[in-house]
């Protein structure tokens, strides 16, 4: 594999060259938080971050998105499809866990029945990811427990490793290799650079403090849909939905119409929704299959760690730790998983006794 | 390269060609729609028991079971109870209005698996719409020979709530279907059965031999009628049910209609009792 070097002060050059072809979305600082935004200047890029507050899913699956527009004319209706899905998107500075989340979401939007979510999939197809290894994962990160790695390159087109004053650059996919070629001015990497990147990857992997046995979690969940633990797990939850909105693999949405009554036109849009809201499943009759936070918290955990494995043979979590950080009442995933594993322990103890 | 598909959220356009009030209190109407484009109609190949996401552009969209049978060619029908924003919008519709439609959605009744069997249809209240579709389908001359005895037990609160009087009359005239109508309480002029659906099921006592039972109605009716069937020796695999969950997309994307790992909009809405017993009780 060909490896090159990008000096940190060459990012502006890279930006200028790639912005001819792509709209570039990169981590920027906004109101003290790191979020992915379309940039118009490489100075906006903020690469000194570990995990963006809002995941880059926002770029391909925005909080509010038009499904189609319409014009009303008496009894007639004209429908106008999205015209902007050909945009070539370059996501710059994406972490391996977030890059993997695009794979999961893409598979989800392809699965089930006869319809695919063409809006998402077309955007994904037109997206190129320049990703970055994580030299020092946060204490809330646990990608290695869900099959990931702080230097996982599989879902990234062009992979960067931060070597201090420069980046090691590796073209992973065809798309990435093409970009490497285009950036002909990149200098060649030395053996020492490659060696250093390998060391960094190893160090990063060894630094994880949060580790789970998710095979066991999935097994326990499969047997414990009914269990008093759910009451305990949901006790402090205030149903704010932060854990789902900020999760890179959560994709639930609501659909509403937005009308411009003065001009007889409007648009049908989708907006992020959350299974943590009581309205999410409330039927017009008043019946609600998940009327209480007990069922709602259970649904989130079951979805990621039981239903996902059942349906797609993988976990619905990439271990980014955002839900752990976001929960305002510290009802965080690490504690929840521990409580679930407690069930198994108690049962083992019973069996022994 | 991946095959490019159309935007699945864009509805096909249809025009309202007729509106029929179905009950005395006038909160249930059947609207008949004709596709504006012939090719859209051709692509809308459905079987009884499926539903569609129908919408008034500018008001919103909701899932409604298809009340017409594919054998009634040219148009499709939906029977809509006035509930909230969109359903009320449909009640204010006029002939000529434009209605958007996406679908067909869901699995539908297992028309293939039911071939060669006796079919017992048990319905209560306005949930009869996809049962109307099913019965019209199996009675069609093209398909009648594929199915054996057909029994319909259809219950309502009172005579004013009985839907589809026109097709019920037609069925009454035929000798290859047994239609049992019932209402909850005695009423002047009512010559059919009186009593709750479960009691009538007990009385009719359909045999489970080589048979399938299809049940749609309010939860209490389903529970009591199923109890009677079980008493008569029916197995969970033979009893089919159509579920409702709040829905938005109807195509397995928006997430909200899940029961356990199943999405009712694509894996259902039709499930056998045996399947339901394996799913979490969260519906
Ligand atoms: C598979 C299926 C088949 C159905 N068939 C019929 C039918 O044949 N006739 C009929 O009258 N009704 C049917 N319903 C129920 C019907 O969808 C709701 O009454 C309707 O969505 C209420 O919408 P609204 O806009 O009037 O209510 P509002 O409360 O104003 O709107 C809420 C929105 O939430 C969703 N929603 C609310 N309640 C339900 C619900 N029970 N099921 C699904 N989505 C819901 C819809 O998107 C709806 O637009 C069916 C539901 C399902 C799931
Ligand atoms: S569940 Fe939590 S840790 Fe897992 S992907 Fe979602 S936000 Fe990240
Ligand atoms: S972030 Fe915490 S409080 Fe908010 S819905 Fe999730 S678990 Fe509940
Ligand atoms: S209605 Fe959207 S997933 Fe079923």
């Amino acid at each position: 594999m060909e490896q090159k070097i990008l000096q940190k002060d060459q990012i502006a050059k890279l930006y200028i060259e790639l912005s001819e072809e792509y709209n570039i979305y990169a981590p920027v600082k906004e109101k003290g938080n790191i979020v992915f935004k379309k940039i118009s200047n490489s100075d906006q890029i903020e690469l000194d971050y570990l995990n963006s507050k809002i995941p880059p899913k926002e770029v391909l699956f925005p909080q509010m998105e038009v499904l189609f527009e319409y014009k009303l004319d008496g009894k007639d209706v004209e429908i106008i499809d999205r015209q902007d899905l050909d945009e070539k998107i370059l996501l710059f500075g994406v972490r391996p866990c977030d890059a993997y989340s695009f794979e999961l979401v893409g598979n989800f939007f392809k699965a089930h029945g006869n319809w695919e979510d063409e809006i998402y999939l077309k955007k994904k197809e037109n997206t190129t990811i320049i990703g970055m290894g994580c030299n020092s994962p946060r204490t809330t990160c646990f990608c290695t427990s869900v099959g990931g790695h702080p230097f996982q390159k599989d879902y990234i087109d062009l992979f960067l490793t931060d070597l201090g004053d420069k980046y090691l650059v590796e073209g992973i996919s065809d798309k990435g290799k093409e970009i490497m070629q285009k950036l002909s001015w990149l200098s060649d990497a030395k053996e020492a650079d490659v060696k250093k990147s390998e060391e960094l990857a190893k160090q990063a992997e060894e630094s994880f403090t949060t580790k789970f046995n998710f095979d066991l979690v999935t097994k326990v969940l499969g047997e414990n849909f009914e269990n008093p633990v759910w009451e305990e797990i949901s006790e402090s939850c205030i149903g704010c939905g932060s854990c789902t909105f900020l999760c890179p693999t959560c994709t639930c949405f609501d659909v509403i119409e937005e009308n411009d009554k003065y001009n007889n036109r409007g648009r049908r849009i989708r907006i992020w929704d959350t299974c943590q809201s009581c309205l999410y499943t409330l039927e017009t009759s008043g019946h609600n299959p998940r009327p209480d936070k007990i069922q709602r918290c259970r649904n989130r955990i079951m979805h990621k760690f039981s239903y996902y494995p059942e349906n797609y043979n993988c976990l619905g979590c990439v271990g980014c730790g955002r839900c752990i950080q976001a929960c305002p009442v510290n009802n965080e995933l690490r504690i929840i998983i521990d409580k679930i594993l407690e069930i198994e322990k108690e049962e083992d103890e019973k069996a022994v006794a | 390269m991946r095959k490019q598909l159309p935007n699945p959220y864009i509805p096909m356009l249809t025009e309202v060609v007729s509106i029929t009030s179905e009950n005395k209190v006038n909160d249930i109407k059947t609207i008949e729609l004709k596709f504006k484009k012939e090719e859209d109609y051709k692509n809308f190949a459905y079987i009884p028991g499926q539903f569609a996401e129908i919408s008034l552009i500018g008001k919103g969209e909701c899932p409604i079971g298809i009340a017409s049978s594919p054998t009634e060619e040219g148009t499709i029908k939906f029977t809509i109870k006035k509930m909230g924003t969109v359903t009320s919008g449909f009640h204010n519709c006029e002939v000529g209005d434009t209605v958007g439609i996406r679908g067909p959605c869901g699995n539908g009744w297992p028309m293939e698996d039911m071939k060669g069997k006796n079919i017992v249809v048990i319905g209560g209240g306005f949930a009869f719409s996809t049962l109307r579709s099913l019965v019209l389908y199996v009675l069609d001359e093209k398909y009648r020979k594929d199915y054996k005895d057909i029994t319909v037990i259809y219950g309502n609160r009172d005579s004013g709530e009985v839907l589809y009087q026109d097709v019920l009359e037609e069925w009454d005239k035929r000798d290859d279907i047994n239609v049992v109508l019932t209402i909850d309480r005695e009423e002047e002029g009512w010559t059919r059965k009186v009593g709750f659906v479960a009691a009538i099921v007990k009385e009719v006592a359909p045999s489970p031999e080589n048979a399938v039972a299809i049940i749609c109605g309010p939860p209490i009716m389903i529970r009591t009628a199923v109890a009677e069937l079980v008493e008569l020796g029916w197995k969970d695999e033979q009893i089919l049910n159509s579920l409702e969950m709040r829905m938005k997309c109807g195509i397995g994307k928006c997430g909200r209609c899940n029961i356990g790992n199943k999405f009712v909009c694509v894996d259902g809405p039709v499930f056998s009792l045996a399947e339901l017993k394996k799913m979490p009780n969260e519906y």
Side-chain angles (χ1 to χ4, degrees), chain B residues 184-195:
Chain B
D184 291 356
R185 256 164 271 125
E186 293 276 3
E187 230 177 83
E188 237 189 81
W190 179 261
T191 56
R192 317 291 288 247
K193 301 263 179 210
V194 174

Side-chain angles (χ1 to χ4, degrees), chain B residues 76-104:
Chain B
I76 48 169
K77 289 177 180 160
F78 295 93
T79 299
I80 303 170
K81 186 174 168 104
K82 189 172 176 169
M83 295 291 286
T85 318
V86 184
T87 49
S88 301
F90 279 115
H91 271 249
N92 296 332
C93 256
E94 291 169 8
V95 169
D97 282 358
T98 297
V99 169
I101 171 164
R102 293 189 300 121

Side-chain angles (χ1 to χ4, degrees), chain A residues 67-68 75 81 109 111-112 115-118 253-254 257 259 268 273 279-280 282 290 298-299 310-311, chain B residues 2 4-5 7-9 55 57-58 94 97-98 104 246 248 252-256 258 261 280 282:
Chain A
L67 297 174
F68 61 85
K75 288 190 185 298
D81 200 352
F109 277 144
H112 316 131
W115 283 277
E116 301 191 351
D117 195 299
E118 190 59 23
F253 60 86
D254 194 4
E257 327 263 271
N259 289 309
R268 189 169 288 170
D273 202 348
L279 298 177
Y280 180 73
L282 178 67
R290 293 198 279 266
R298 177 174 60 193
N299 187 66
E310 270 180 78
N311 286 345
Chain B
R2 207 171 49 83
Q4 295 286 316
L5 296 165
N7 178 341
Y9 301 102
S55 61
I57 315 293
E94 291 169 8
D97 282 358
T98 297
R246 182 168 182 157
K248 283 286 168 179
K253 308 288 178 261
C254 77
R256 77 196 56 240
N258 79 297
N261 72 329
E282 208 173 64

Side-chain angles (χ1 to χ4, degrees), chain B:
Chain B
M1 270 285 267
R2 207 171 49 83
K3 193 171 101 217
Q4 295 286 316
L5 296 165
N7 178 341
Y9 301 102
I10 293 200
M12 297 173 273
L13 298 181
T14 67
E15 189 180 319
V16 178
V17 290
S18 80
I19 302 168
T20 316
S21 176
E22 293 284 358
N23 62 350
K24 276 217 185 87
V25 289
N26 196 25
D27 66 351
I28 299 174
K29 283 184 181 173
T30 296
I31 58 165
E32 185 182 6
L33 305 174
K34 193 171 165 44
F35 283 86
K36 293 197 179 184
K37 282 196 199 135
E38 189 55 32
E39 67 184 89
D40 283 348
Y41 179 60
K42 283 218 185 80
N43 289 333
F44 194 87
Y46 67 98
I47 62 165
Q50 289 191 291
F51 67 96
E53 285 285 343
I54 59 175
S55 61
L56 289 167
I57 315 293
K59 273 223 160 56
E61 195 173 46
C62 64
I64 304 288
I66 306 172
S68 53
S69 156
T71 54
E72 299 175 276
E73 279 172 33
T75 59
I76 48 169
K77 289 177 180 160
F78 295 93
T79 299
I80 303 170
K81 186 174 168 104
K82 189 172 176 169
M83 295 291 286
T85 318
V86 184
T87 49
S88 301
F90 279 115
H91 271 249
N92 296 332
C93 256
E94 291 169 8
V95 169
D97 282 358
T98 297
V99 169
I101 171 164
R102 293 189 300 121
C105 305
N107 54 0
W109 304 115
M111 302 312 301
E112 283 300 314
D113 297 350
M114 293 193 296
K115 282 189 175 160
K117 294 192 178 160
N118 300 321
I119 301 177
V120 179
V121 171
I122 303 172
F126 89 104
F128 200 72
S129 61
T130 64
L131 301 181
R132 173 195 188 274
S133 171
L134 174 109
V135 176
L136 281 174
Y137 182 91
V138 297
L139 287 182
D140 189 83
E141 56 182 343
K142 206 156 130 210
Y143 302 109
R144 184 64 191 90
K145 60 181 185 324
D146 294 340
Y147 304 93
K148 300 186 89 171
D149 296 350
I150 297 164
T151 308
V152 174
I153 299 173
Y154 178 28
N156 276 290
R157 206 169 46 226
D158 56 57
S159 62
E161 291 292 309
V162 184
L163 308 183
Y164 312 127
Q165 309 264 2
D166 51 342
V167 295
L168 288 174
E169 255 171 52
E170 292 295 316
W171 298 351
D172 266 341
K173 285 187 207 144
R174 298 177 65 138
D175 56 9
D176 59 350
I177 173 172
N178 175 23
V179 182
V180 185
L181 298 182
T182 179
I183 54 175
D184 291 356
R185 256 164 271 125
E186 293 276 3
E187 230 177 83
E188 237 189 81
W190 179 261
T191 56
R192 317 291 288 247
K193 301 263 179 210
V194 174
F196 293 130
V197 167
I200 304 301
V201 170
K202 189 172 183 171
E203 190 184 318
V204 174
S207 158
E209 194 69 37
N210 187 33
V212 182
I214 291 185
I215 308 198
C216 267
I220 173 85
M221 183 213 93
I222 292 180
R223 230 174 305 129
T224 52
V226 165
E228 290 301 339
L229 288 177
V230 170
E231 192 78 0
L232 291 165
W234 288 71
K235 298 271 174 304
D236 291 345
E237 290 76 18
Q238 295 173 279
I239 305 175
L240 304 175
N241 214 306
S242 184
L243 295 191
E244 258 187 43
M245 287 287 275
R246 182 168 182 157
M247 291 184 183
K248 283 286 168 179
C249 70
I251 55 173
K253 308 288 178 261
C254 77
R256 77 196 56 240
C257 70
N258 79 297
I259 304 174
N261 72 329
K262 299 272 191 294
F263 289 101
V264 174
C265 68
V266 287
D267 300 319
V270 173
F271 295 98
S272 72
L273 206 56
E275 290 172 302
L276 285 177
K277 282 192 176 164
K278 279 192 225 134
M279 283 152 63
N281 185 11
E282 208 173 64
Y283 48 90

Side-chain angles (χ1 to χ4, degrees), chain A residues 40-53:
Chain A
S40 50
N41 177 336
S42 61
D43 292 344
Q44 292 169 275
I45 304 175
E46 176 68 57
L47 284 178
D48 190 15
Y49 83 103
L50 270 165
N51 237 331
S52 60
K53 174 98 175 190

